[in-house]
Amino acid sequence: MVDYHAANQPYQYGPSSAGNGAGGGGSMGDYMAQEDDWDRDLLLDPAWEKQQRKTFTAWCNSHLRKAGTQIENIDEDFRDGLKLMLLLEVISGERLPKPERGKMRVHKINNVNKALDFIASKGVKLVSIGAEEIVDGNAKMTLGMIWTIILRFAIQDISVEETSAKEGLLLWCQRKTAPYKNVNVQNFHISWKDGLAFNALIHRHRPELIEYDKLRKDDPVTNLNNAFEVAEKYLDIPKMLDAEDIVNTARPDEKAIMTYVSSFYHAFSGAQKAETAANRICKVLAVNQENEHLMEDYERLASDLLEWIRRTIPWLEDRVPQKTIQEMQQKLEDFRDYRRVHKPPKVQEKCQLEINFNTLQTKLRLSNRPAFMPSEGRMVSDINNCWQHLEQAEKGYEEWLLNEIRRLERLDHLAEKFRQKASIHEAWTDGKEAMLKHRDYETATLSDIKALIRKHEAFESDLAAHQDRVEQIAAIAQELNELDYYDSHNVNTRCQKICDQWDALGSLTHSRREALEKTEKQLETIDQLHLEYAKRAAPFNNWMESAMEDLQDMFIVHTIEEIEGLISAHDQFKSTLPDADREREAILAIHKEAQRIAESNHIKLSGSNPYTTVTPQIINSKWEKVQQLVPKRDHALLEEQSKQQSNEHLRRQFASQANIVGPWIQTKMEEIGRISIEMNGTLEDQLSHLKQYERSIVDYKPNLDLLEQQHQLIQEALIFDNKHTNYTMEHIRVGWEQLLTTIARTINEVENQILTRDAKGISQEQMQEFRASFNHFDKDHGGALGPEEFKACLISLGYDVENDRQKQTGSMDSDDFRALLISTGYSLGDAEFNRIMSVVDPNHSGLVTFQAFIDFMSRETTDTDTADQVIASFKVLAGDKNFITAEELRRELPPDQAEYCIARMAPYQGPDAAPGALDYKSFSTALYGESDL
């Protein structure tokens, strides 16, 4: 009860301390502060005052009739406060203090004060409106008080997209009348003068009541009366305005228009709820459709990449050798083309596929949908396994190519060496069989026989000297067979022919010796000098032939040390030439001495030396040949030395660059790992920093390209080893690909964290706290937590799952909650922890990534759409039925989403089923993965 003496002063109501109770005082206080400044002078305008009286009287009667009463004169009927208190009880649904029934002025003031106290308790600020003015029948104050009541109980609760009450009501009118021609609602006065806006509101919600197309803009009175009559007759909205007053007033009263329009808003509030429910369903269905498109894109991209891998692996596993080096080098060139052209785009596709998969999973988690499980064989792990198989086949294929080239190079060298030695041997054996078969000793003189014996001894010496060459030929043929030389058949045939001929020569030599020794007793004259000449000339001649053979011998080396070894051996050979020259001169001196003795003794020699076919001319000719071959050998060795020096330069050049690029890549990998753990600043700062870091990595690509060029030169030079560095091009490529993939994954992780934060409303401080706790328990800085580490991290953040209850950090700050946990001896239950682990680690890897940790914490600390909410929304659209029809879906939802629901909803089987009934409950449950759709 208000004190009588206090009631004599006008009320000065401030913002109510009732908070956001039944009155929602926050926004109302702001709005009322503006509305209480209404221009009271305008109220004196007769037209406006008339409109307000009629409108406010009709509005009050629309509520008072529920209590079986009404007012006639708004100035007089509220003076005793009784009907004013009754009006407030009807519109608020609450009981006011018992009124005083006395007829004295003080009783009336007390009743009005009770009403004003009740209004103030709802958070309404009444400025300069006191009980005495109402009791005295002050029209201005009475109308102001009624307008304040209308604002509080009819308009304040109107909210569209978080606008104020007046703006919300105006926005609602604009949206509802937007499709109608000649209607442009910008205010609550002149926008309503032609009556079309009122008719449009009714037609939008009840089109059967208004024939809108027949209305004319130039007939406002008819339009207004039509809307007022239809609203009163069919919508139970009393006529609060007069058509002529509105038309004849330059600017209709805004408060009267707002009061009347608010009645339409409340009358159609049911339709508004249906629209809200439809919007919720549309939102959920749009998310589901987008996710399905992303899943289809992933399946298609994964299938294409796997198909390429399956086509490529058989090609890399093909180990059919070729016959020539040229054919194998073409295979190597094809493999290089694959490395340079075909594989890099597939590496990018694989990385992008993993990024798309992670983004899809994040969107599914944010929309409270089950995780996406690709079809069998198309998991990211399956693709990684296939990719690993591809790289293993690739590595094996390259090693096989290089080994085959080495093998063919060795084979070509051995084959040429075999041909040279075989040709020299065949040239030496030419005519030897005929000579050994010749029976010239039967008619020879004794001296001739002696000569033949000596000649045969020289031949045997020569034959023995050629034994090594035959063995070398056989050994080379054997090695060609072992190395699977493609022309082994011809080599074996030629080698067998040489061996058979050699055996025949041995047999014939033995037979001829026996024949000569038979007649040796008859032969006495032997020219010792010729014999000595023959004995010394034969090995010297063989030495020269061997020297010529060695000087013309092909060589193959791969290192500078090998060629320097050959040069050293050649220098040693040249150092023996003076001794050989002295031996040559000594042999020639024996021949000259024989000729001198014959001439001095007048002995006629029968032509050439009977003991040997090696004449001084042959010795001199071969010696000259050796002298010519030595500088040629010098030149060949120097050219090869220059080539090996060039190769050594290429090795050092590649090693110098590789020893820079390799450690650089390793350092960047370690820095990315450190950045992903520390993550200082906001997520946007981290993302910007990571992208700058990524650009710096991409800018380093020219160094890798330079290394590729140097590696290309090394391969073209057939250089197979490099002792100056431990890095191979394959190591560099793999490291570079891993570096690009790691920075891309880290950026994607931060982007997903931003997406999670924005979608779930997580503050930057919460995100930093989550990161700090995660890093604190990530002792090995591996970017993932084990079960025990994850458990400790949850407890440190104040996550309580005991008895299946959840306490997030929103109820108290984390430090207070940690202290509470420690003081109560709290521990995380095994059953609940196992449930949490199944959520954050669905693959049972035993590790919890930071992204999974953030998803779990965001899901536990924010509100999201649930299956129950979607079911409730469908129930609104269905008119509170347990089923919904296709017609209702097409009326309330956009066409594509309505058809989406109709195609997936099962027929309703309940006892109250009607024809065409659809089961929206099982459909809503399936959207969230709780059953099969």
Side-chain angles (χ1 to χ4, degrees), residues 27 31 34-35 151 154-177 185-188 192 201 205 254 258 261-262 264-266 272 275:
S27 61
Y31 182 67
Q34 300 173 11
E35 289 299 326
L151 281 177
I155 298 178
Q156 176 188 335
D157 293 334
I158 299 174
S159 178
V160 179
E161 294 186 356
E162 301 180 356
T163 60
S164 66
K166 179 179 178 180
E167 293 173 345
L169 183 61
L170 181 61
L171 180 59
W172 177 79
C173 295
Q174 290 172 341
R175 288 185 173 180
K176 295 300 181 181
T177 61
V185 178
Q186 298 296 327
N187 49 55
F188 287 106
W192 303 84
L201 281 178
H205 296 90
E254 183 180 58
M258 284 182 65
V261 170
S262 69
F264 283 89
Y265 176 87
H266 292 293
Q272 181 70 22
E275 180 179 352

Side-chain angles (χ1 to χ4, degrees), residues 704-750:
L704 200 72
D705 295 337
L706 175 61
L707 197 62
E708 286 282 7
Q709 295 172 5
Q710 295 171 352
H711 180 65
Q712 177 72 17
L713 295 176
I714 284 178
Q715 288 193 323
E716 290 174 355
L718 297 178
I719 300 172
F720 304 111
D721 57 341
N722 194 339
K723 66 181 181 180
H724 303 295
T725 180
N726 293 326
Y727 293 99
T728 66
M729 198 62 226
E730 179 62 25
H731 294 155
I732 298 296
R733 291 191 192 104
V734 171
W736 179 257
E737 293 170 1
Q738 290 177 347
L739 180 61
L740 293 180
T741 301
T742 301
I743 188 64
R745 285 175 177 167
T746 305
I747 290 175
N748 179 248
E749 178 183 348
V750 176

Side-chain angles (χ1 to χ4, degrees), residues 402-542:
L402 296 177
N403 290 334
E404 276 297 302
I405 290 176
R406 292 190 188 100
R407 184 182 69 84
L408 291 175
E409 189 177 46
R410 173 68 176 166
L411 285 174
D412 283 353
H413 172 68
L414 288 175
E416 182 62 24
K417 192 171 184 178
F418 173 85
R419 286 190 289 269
Q420 284 187 1
K421 288 184 176 293
S423 297
I424 293 172
H425 177 76
E426 289 168 347
W428 178 82
T429 59
D430 184 36
K432 293 297 189 293
E433 287 188 18
M435 180 198 71
L436 292 172
K437 293 178 180 180
H438 192 214
R439 304 178 67 86
D440 54 343
Y441 54 85
E442 295 179 348
T443 58
T445 62
L446 181 60
S447 59
D448 294 334
I449 290 300
K450 290 289 186 179
L452 289 175
I453 290 175
R454 300 296 182 269
K455 183 178 180 181
H456 190 70
E457 289 175 350
F459 173 77
E460 286 181 330
S461 177
D462 200 9
L463 185 68
H466 277 78
Q467 177 69 33
D468 289 340
R469 183 178 289 113
V470 174
E471 292 176 355
Q472 291 175 5
I473 292 173
I476 294 173
Q478 179 64 28
E479 188 172 358
L480 288 172
N481 283 317
E482 292 174 353
L483 294 177
D484 195 23
Y485 181 55
Y486 76 96
D487 198 21
S488 294
H489 175 72
N490 291 332
V491 170
N492 292 336
T493 301
R494 189 172 185 182
C495 180
Q496 188 62 45
K497 181 179 179 181
I498 290 173
C499 291
D500 293 341
Q501 187 183 40
W502 184 256
D503 292 338
L505 287 176
S507 178
L508 291 173
T509 300
H510 181 69
S511 299
R512 184 172 179 80
R513 168 171 283 279
E514 290 180 345
L516 290 174
E517 287 178 348
K518 248 188 199 179
T519 58
E520 185 180 11
K521 294 179 182 180
Q522 302 172 9
L523 303 177
E524 295 177 354
T525 306
I526 297 294
D527 191 344
Q528 294 298 326
L529 288 174
H530 281 185
L531 181 58
E532 184 179 358
Y533 172 90
K535 288 183 177 181
R536 295 182 66 175
F540 184 76
N541 181 64
N542 187 60

Side-chain angles (χ1 to χ4, degrees), residues 895-907:
D896 61 332
Q897 296 186 340
E899 297 304 324
Y900 179 85
C901 293
I902 293 170
R904 287 163 173 77
M905 282 188 183

Side-chain angles (χ1 to χ4, degrees), residues 59-71 77-78 80-101 111-112 114-116 118-119 145-146 149 153:
W59 183 86
C60 292
N61 285 334
S62 69
H63 293 287
L64 287 172
R65 68 185 179 184
K66 299 175 184 177
T69 185
Q70 63 179 6
I71 61 172
D77 293 350
F78 286 137
D80 60 1
L82 296 177
K83 288 188 178 181
L84 179 60
M85 294 179 69
L86 181 61
L87 174 64
L88 291 173
E89 287 185 345
V90 171
I91 62 179
S92 68
E94 301 180 23
R95 295 290 296 175
L96 270 70
K98 185 177 179 180
E100 298 180 12
R101 295 297 180 179
N111 288 339
V112 172
K114 291 177 182 180
L116 295 178
F118 178 80
I119 296 173
M145 177 190 67
I146 298 300
I149 294 172
F153 294 99

Side-chain angles (χ1 to χ4, degrees), residues 190-216:
I190 61 175
S191 295
W192 303 84
K193 286 188 66 175
D194 58 9
L196 292 177
F198 290 108
N199 285 276
L201 281 178
I202 298 173
H203 184 268
R204 178 64 182 271
H205 296 90
R206 297 289 299 276
E208 74 276 8
L209 301 179
I210 298 290
E211 293 182 354
Y212 185 85
D213 293 335
K214 293 184 179 181
L215 300 177
R216 302 198 328 269

